Amino acid sequence: MSPALFDILTGRADAADPRGALSLSLQDHLQRLLNARRGSLAHLPGYGMPDVAKLYEALPYSLEPLKAALRQCIEVYEPRLGQLQVRQAVAPGPGVGRLQFEVSGRTACGQLLRYLVCFFSGGNAQVALLSGEAAYA
């Protein structure tokens, strides 16, 4: 599978390592997608996540709705990642102020990719490519 057109146009696609370029392209798009809020794009009103800060206010009752919204958002707007799985990951410690999820899936060429998605109490998301086993809650 080739990298996204955006990556090719910006010169970020690496022809020598297409699998690495694809994982970085996916990471970059997930970062933008999960930091966008639904309704912020007139031509794609469903693009992005619901207001994560509001979901934080309803914790722990909003944990499953947040997980479901995360899964739905990626399934709809990132078709390069199939067989999607979303699991809550163990937070680094009490009082950290973030929720962590492991998102894993396979590309069309069969490459398994795993990302750690951290939602902070202000609503921002950070996406990192995982390079090892993660713990689950």
Side-chain angles (χ1 to χ4, degrees), residues 15-101:
D17 182 15
R19 289 183 141 204
L22 177 59
S23 65
L24 292 175
S25 173
L26 280 160
Q27 179 182 352
D28 185 50
H29 181 240
L30 289 173
Q31 180 83 27
R32 288 192 314 270
L33 174 64
L34 301 178
N35 278 298
R37 293 297 162 254
R38 286 187 187 151
S40 61
L41 298 177
H43 65 290
L44 288 174
Y47 185 86
M49 292 289 291
D51 189 352
V52 177
K54 286 186 180 178
L55 290 171
Y56 254 91
E57 293 173 8
L59 282 174
Y61 305 106
S62 62
L63 191 56
E64 285 304 314
L66 176 59
K67 184 176 163 183
L70 173 61
R71 180 183 182 89
Q72 181 207 20
C73 186
I74 295 171
E75 284 177 337
V76 172
Y77 292 102
E78 188 43 85
R80 296 177 292 172
L81 199 58
Q83 300 176 11
L84 193 65
Q85 293 184 358
V86 178
R87 297 181 179 106
Q88 184 182 2
V90 175
V96 176
R98 69 180 178 196
L99 295 172
Q100 296 185 153
F101 296 91

